[in-house]
């Protein structure tokens, strides 16, 4: 799986919001903490807000916060907003001895989808290693 810079930034921004105390987090703080170009971040935050993953408040005490609890937002939720639903080409099978490769690609896709839909932002920001997702 290739992860675009835009998706990487979105995942990092949502992680920053998941780790923040209750209340709005200014975009400047997110950009600074994650070293994300501010103008790029603003577009990402707008996209996440329109998708209903985050809320925003304008003004001097404004900022962004998660629309749902961090344990209810998965990596797949954010990736789907930024990249859209993944479309995998169908493998009609390979000829001869390469035939089993199609099964490997299928298993890889299934593992990727399962991992991304199971890992929540609460797990990512948890300091307790027992609740962190396993990447094995």
């Amino acid at each position: 799986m290739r992860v675009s810079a835009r998706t990487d930034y979105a995942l990092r921004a949502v992680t920053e919001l998941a780790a923040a105390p209750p209340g709005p987090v200014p975009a400047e703080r997110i950009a600074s903490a994650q070293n994300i170009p501010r103008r790029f971040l603003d577009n990402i935050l707008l996209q996440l807000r329109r998708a209903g993953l985050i809320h925003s408040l304008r003004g001097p005490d404004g900022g962004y916060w998660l629309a749902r609890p961090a344990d209810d937002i998965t990596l797949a939720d954010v990736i789907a907003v930024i990249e859209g639903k993944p479309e995998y080409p169908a493998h009609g099978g390979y000829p001869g001895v390469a035939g089993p490769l199609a099964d490997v690609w299928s298993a890889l896709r299934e593992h990727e989808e399962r991992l991304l839909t199971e890992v929540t932002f609460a797990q990512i920001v948890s300091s307790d290693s027992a609740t962190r997702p396993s990447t094995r």
Side-chain angles (χ1 to χ4, degrees):
M1 168 183 202
R2 289 184 183 221
V3 177
S4 68
R6 183 177 197 80
T7 298
D8 181 55
Y9 289 160
L11 292 167
R12 289 166 41 199
V14 173
T15 301
E16 197 67 36
L17 293 174
V25 179
E28 188 56 46
R29 187 179 320 154
I30 298 168
S32 175
Q34 291 300 318
N35 198 26
I36 300 171
R38 176 62 194 273
R39 292 181 76 178
F40 206 60
L41 177 64
D42 288 340
N43 289 327
I44 291 167
L45 293 171
L46 177 63
Q47 200 172 355
L48 293 169
R49 186 181 60 77
R50 286 182 176 160
L53 287 181
I54 63 174
H55 292 300
S56 66
L57 177 67
R58 290 180 175 237
D61 295 327
Y64 297 86
W65 65 95
L66 298 179
R68 302 189 315 249
D71 62 355
D72 196 32
I73 302 174
T74 67
L75 299 179
D77 293 331
V78 173
I79 292 169
V81 168
I82 303 300
E83 301 286 339
K85 294 286 184 184
E87 293 182 23
Y88 300 106
H91 287 285
Y94 297 118
V97 297
L101 283 175
D103 295 334
V104 171
W105 300 142
S106 179
L108 181 63
R109 281 192 303 273
E110 288 172 18
H111 178 72
E112 177 183 290
E113 287 178 31
R114 185 173 53 254
L115 180 66
L116 294 174
T117 58
E118 290 176 357
V119 176
T120 68
F121 284 91
Q123 291 171 309
I124 297 295
V125 301
S126 173
S127 61
D128 179 6
S129 63
T131 61
R132 282 199 178 147
S134 171
T135 55
R136 292 182 190 194

